[in-house]
């Protein structure tokens, strides 16, 4: 594996959105965890509609607001919503 490939896989994207690798990892893990919890709530809601009535939609709205608040560089603008 070359240094360029390592940079492309691990540091180019975080740097392009103004984060370190660690900051980006923390944010992505947080988003992923909340998406999983929201998805599980949605599946439970499918079986028992009276449970988790607003959980999935609230999770999506919160994640969308956070994602829109992130500032990509001009090069990343096209992929502003990529984690």
């Amino acid at each position: 594996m070359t240094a360029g490939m390592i940079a492309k896989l691990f540091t180019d994207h975080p740097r392009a959105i103004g984060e370190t690798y660690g900051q980006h990892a923390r944010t992505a893990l947080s988003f992923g965890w909340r998406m999983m919890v929201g998805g599980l709530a949605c599946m439970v809601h499918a079986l028992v509609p009276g449970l988790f009535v607003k959980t999935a939609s609230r999770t999506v709205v919160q994640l969308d607001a956070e994602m829109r608040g992130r500032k990509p560089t001009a090069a990343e603008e096209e992929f502003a919503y990529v984690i």
Side-chain angles (χ1 to χ4, degrees):
M1 193 176 275
T2 67
M5 185 182 288
I6 291 171
K8 183 168 179 58
L9 291 173
F10 294 99
T11 59
D12 287 357
H13 172 65
R15 187 176 298 123
I17 59 171
E19 295 178 341
T20 66
Y21 174 82
Q23 290 168 326
H24 189 269
R26 188 172 33 256
T27 300
L29 288 169
S30 172
F31 270 73
W33 173 252
R34 290 181 288 166
M35 287 192 291
M36 286 176 39
V37 170
L40 289 172
C42 197
M43 288 187 273
V44 170
H45 174 74
L47 300 173
V48 185
L51 295 177
F52 305 113
V53 175
K54 296 181 180 180
T55 304
S57 58
R58 185 176 55 241
T59 300
V60 169
V61 168
Q62 289 171 346
L63 292 174
D64 179 61
E66 285 183 47
M67 188 66 71
R68 289 178 188 274
R70 297 173 59 129
K71 303 292 185 210
T73 63
E76 290 283 316
E77 189 65 39
E78 179 181 349
F79 302 103
Y81 301 107
V82 175
I83 295 176

